[in-house]
Amino acid sequence: MNGQSEIETEILVIGSGPGGAVSGTLFAEAGRHVVMVEEGDHLALEAAPHFSREEMLLKYRNAGVGVALGRHKLAWVEGRCVGGGSEVNRGLYHRTPGYVFDDWRRRFAVHDLDLAGMTPHFEACEAVARVEYAGIAASDMSRRLQQGAQAQGWLAIEAPRLYRYDHDHRSGVKQSMSATFVQRFVAAGGALLPRTRIARLRRMNGHWIAQGSRRGEDGRQRPVTFRAKTVFIACGAVQTPALLRRSGISHNVGDSLRFHPMVKVVAEFDRDVNRPDDFDPVHQVKEFEPRFGMGCSISTPAMLGVALSGRPDHWQLVAERWRRMGIYYVQSGGGEASVRNLPGFEDPIVRVRFSQGDLSVLGEGLRRLCEALFAAGAQRIYPCLAGYPDLHSPGDLARLPDVLQASDGNMTSVHVFSSCPMGEDRRRTAANSFGKVHGTDGLYINDASLLCGPTSVNPQGTVMAVAHRNASEALTRRFH
Amino acid sequence: MSKPDTVAALVDVLVDESRPGLSASERGVVADYVRSTLAGMPDYFRIGFRMLAMMFEIAPLPVHGHRFSYLAPAERQAHVQAWRRSRMGFRRSMIAFYTTFACYGLYSLPRAQDRAPAARIAA
Ligand SMILES: Cc1cc2nc3c(=O)[nH]c(=O)nc-3n(C[C@H](O)[C@H](O)[C@H](O)COP(=O)(O)OP(=O)(O)OC[C@H]3O[C@@H](n4cnc5c(N)ncnc54)[C@H](O)[C@@H]3O)c2cc1C
């Protein structure tokens, strides 16, 4: 450490979400000198109840307000705390389907990427952040989706979670990064600096200089500078391209951000399906992937209230019937967005475009979702889309438009990726097959930005395994 | 005359739509949550929202002779309805935004009391 605010390290990892936490841990356990900085606070898992208003303010970026602008806007959220999105998410877990890797390898010329080669990386991550099934403990609300899909003859499964279930006490422990990899990182001698934001990077005398600020206990920002031979950027799919662009690196950076856009409905059943102490829902319909998938959302009274907030009678509806209600979604991989910095502003702007094809996939998915829910015994379905009618029977499905008519806030996403794709095809990638930024030395990306496109399944497993693969490769190549 | 508090007045109207009997202190909790959300939102939106809130506040002046925060409850409601049904997208978006976050704050209320302040893990 030179003076008050210049910190020298061998490796600087920026961001402590799944990408950063996995990378940092591998380097620290390999005996490297690593500093991991994180813009958000280091908070206990129980610092705020899950999916509460307090959690939004404490652990989410921009208090949970993220809007991709465009003709059809999309609202998305990201975590901002030690552990990133893994702290606020449900941890629904999948290994990446083989066809996704095959597609990325072909279209982006990614070397050495297939399911067989990735399996040891999935296994290594799952040995630290444990993955378990709820089994018979899954809630009725969650099972209803599976029952409805199966009645239609569709494939529906229970997704495992990054979670250790304690079936006896109807509780468990989330396997977030702060509860798993970050602890190992610190135990291996890694230095974790929360409340530290990197604003830009520059190259000087064979080193990277990372300039930023650190928020003290008094809330005041103080400038801080890091000097490192090697930098791993893992700020998430929106902030990573924003940081690179602020640092003058823009080749295929922030041009191809992708989401899993979703639309929701509230289904009301003839009996109680939703109880306060239920485990988070876990069932998913796989029949139509990769075009679209379906699942069940957190359906607390607060979430139901927001989902139904466009209706004048929402309070009464939720107060009287929330136990009979569940929120369900359909999600696709459509839409493409850009990430840009605006002069004079700190937060990057995201602009999204959806084609008619994207919107008709969601339109079809919405109809299919409602079919499954009626087959599961739903008495009424309330689409969370302005102007859409309530549905009372399968006959009403004919009233749904074929192409999704989404107004503000109706399309949402919790999955963002692909803003800086990896691969050897330099016409469309920002980094090589293992995340080294093209045309630079000692600068790597290792987070959701690198994924070449939608994963179709929940992405955190892919982010972790790809980060594990790339960090292992960097160690093998001694960062050359 | 006190400084107009557009957020509190707007949240009041939105709360009245579903829970007219809510106490003043609980209304304050909801308004504080909406304010914190506004303070945390991306900086370019924040500026836009401030300008929108100002426009919303002064829009009733020509017709009613008063700003929104000083209108009678029925007139406030009518003003919110007019913006909610406006043909101008930005007006509808503004009301939709406040409705979503006021709703979230409102539905989170019963559990608000039993929370300890967030414990930070050592920096
Ligand atoms: C509400 C929600 C629910 C989700 N549900 C699931 C699910 O069930 N299953 C699943 O697989 N995935 C889920 N996801 C997605 C999953 O969490 C992400 O794919 C994953 O967290 C991405 O990891 P990452 O490392 O790329 O980025 P992030 O997790 O976003 O981490 C990036 C970190 O970097 C920090 N950072 C950013 N900029 C800077 C800077 N300039 N300086 C310092 N630090 C910085 C951020 O504060 C953040 O903590 C969900 C996400 C959310 C938000």
Side-chain angles (χ1 to χ4, degrees), chain A residues 41-42 44 49 51-54 58 62 65 67 194-195 217 301-303 305-306 309 314-315 318 345-349 408, chain B residues 18-19 29 33 36-37 40-45 47 93 100-101 103-105 107-108 112 115 118-123:
Chain A
D41 274 307
H42 192 188
F51 297 105
S52 67
R53 156 187 83 164
E54 291 80 358
L58 280 172
N62 296 125
V65 182
V67 182
R195 286 179 271 129
E217 289 294 342
M303 291 298 183
V306 170
S309 64
H314 64 84
W315 183 264
V318 174
F345 292 97
E346 199 166 90
D347 296 304
I349 188 164
D408 295 5
Chain B
S18 50
R19 292 197 66 191
V29 174
Y33 170 63
S36 306
T37 304
M41 65 173 25
D43 42 13
Y44 50 89
F45 278 143
I47 292 183
S93 302
T100 300
F101 286 92
C103 235
Y104 197 50
Y107 279 93
S108 307
R115 301 270 147 75
R120 261 199 207 117
I121 296 172

Side-chain angles (χ1 to χ4, degrees), chain A residues 18-19 38-39 61 80-81 84-85 89 92 198 414 447-448 458 460:
Chain A
E38 164 57 50
E39 181 178 349
R61 178 168 296 281
R80 190 191 59 185
C81 55
N89 71 20
L92 291 166
I198 301 301
V414 292
D447 63 8
N458 303 76
Q460 189 184 322

Side-chain angles (χ1 to χ4, degrees), chain B residues 2 9 13-14 27-29 31-32 39 56 60 75 84 96 100 104-105 107 112:
Chain B
S2 58
V13 174
L14 297 172
R27 283 165 192 263
V29 174
D32 281 348
F56 178 82
E75 288 166 342
R84 184 177 271 146
T100 300
Y104 197 50
Y107 279 93

Side-chain angles (χ1 to χ4, degrees), chain A residues 10-29:
Chain A
E10 184 189 355
I11 303 169
L12 176 68
V13 177
I14 310 174
S16 67
V22 170
S23 318
T25 304
L26 253 74
F27 301 145
E29 289 183 344

